[in-house]
Amino acid sequence: MKISKLHYITQDLTHIPHWEQARLACEGGADWVQLRVKNQDFDAWKQTALKTQAICKAFGATLIINDNVQIAKEIQADGVHLGKTDASPIEARTILGENYIIGGTSNTFEDLAFLHEAKVNYIGLGPFRFTKTKQNLSPILGLEKYQSLLAKCKIADLNLPIVGIGGVLLSDVEDLLLAGLHGIAVSSVINLAEKPSEVTSDFMKALNEKYHVEHCK
């Protein structure tokens, strides 16, 4: 199961709906879209998901639904991402089956070990730095903590793809990949940019170039 190096995440914005955010990111080369909807009732959320899914299908991008296992199953999205206070990934696997991607959020080594045991497909580790995108933020990790946690994972043979999330900028890509991350997840840095497609393209290029250099030394 291929896990992208760039996990693009939509957000609630007044000037542009989720599906248009996804379209702009996909135009820039994003091949993985996480739909992150807050404060919508089920029917509105589902309609947003269906419109975003249509965009993803047009571009051949993976669609991950944040938090909502039921919507992911009803529209047959590619998978679901679960935060620390959301449904258990074990329960989600029982509901969705083996063909869906399940990702989980982590902040500590204990989180990483639990998600590995729960057999998720990938893990989001963060926050890297402070971000306004998410409320109730877990403790900030920073580069040194990332390096420490990833080193522990290597020793413990926890080898799932781990993506860094939380205030990640283009200038952080090299250091984060060298620390051992599989990739990164970003939201506002693309969604609030003057030219979201161009910023997405810049991230894709940086991830692919740095990844190639790192693994071909």
Side-chain angles (χ1 to χ4, degrees):
M1 189 173 289
K2 182 180 179 182
I3 307 298
S4 178
K5 292 191 287 292
L6 179 67
H7 291 216
Y8 162 72
I9 306 173
T10 70
Q11 62 189 113
D12 290 331
L13 296 173
T14 57
H15 68 288
I16 181 171
H18 290 267
W19 55 91
E20 285 299 319
Q21 295 173 43
R23 180 181 61 80
L24 291 171
C26 288
E27 287 179 348
D31 58 3
W32 182 289
V33 173
Q34 183 187 136
L35 176 65
R36 188 171 187 268
V37 173
K38 300 295 179 183
N39 304 316
Q40 285 190 17
D41 62 36
F42 184 87
D43 289 338
W45 192 341
K46 184 176 177 179
Q47 288 305 309
T48 296
L50 286 168
K51 291 177 180 179
T52 305
Q53 185 179 46
I55 296 294
C56 289
K57 286 184 175 180
F59 284 92
T62 297
L63 174 62
I64 303 295
I65 305 296
N66 183 275
D67 292 356
N68 201 313
V69 176
Q70 185 177 352
I71 285 179
K73 184 174 183 179
E74 284 198 16
I75 72 167
Q76 295 186 324
D78 296 294
V80 65
H81 184 90
L82 303 170
K84 291 182 65 174
T85 59
D86 297 328
S88 162
I90 298 172
E91 294 176 0
R93 181 65 72 197
T94 300
I95 295 168
L96 296 174
E98 294 300 322
N99 293 328
Y100 281 76
I101 299 168
I102 296 179
T105 296
S106 64
N107 178 254
T108 66
F109 180 75
E110 288 72 24
D111 293 338
L112 292 164
F114 166 75
L115 290 171
H116 191 276
E117 184 68 22
K119 298 182 179 179
V120 299
N121 300 104
Y122 74 92
I123 298 173
L125 176 62
F128 174 58
R129 62 165 61 89
F130 178 77
T131 174
K132 295 181 180 179
T133 305
K134 186 173 183 179
Q135 297 179 345
N136 303 318
L137 207 61
S138 295
I140 306 299
L141 296 177
L143 184 60
E144 289 188 5
K145 189 64 174 179
Y146 269 51
Q147 292 168 332
S148 173
L149 287 170
L150 291 165
K152 286 183 179 180
C153 286
K154 188 173 182 179
I155 293 170
D157 197 28
L158 306 184
N159 52 15
L160 285 172
I162 299 175
V163 297
I165 184 170
V168 176
L169 303 175
L170 185 63
S171 57
D172 299 317
V173 170
E174 181 175 8
D175 286 340
L176 292 176
L177 291 183
L178 289 173
L181 287 173
H182 171 80
I184 60 167
V186 293
S187 185
S188 295
V189 68
I190 289 176
N191 296 328
L192 301 182
E194 184 176 346
K195 297 180 179 180
S197 297
E198 290 186 10
V199 176
T200 304
S201 180
D202 289 341
F203 270 105
M204 293 296 291
K205 289 177 182 176
L207 285 162
N208 288 322
E209 289 172 3
K210 299 303 181 183
Y211 186 87
H212 178 75
V213 170
E214 180 190 353
H215 286 76
C216 294
K217 290 180 179 178

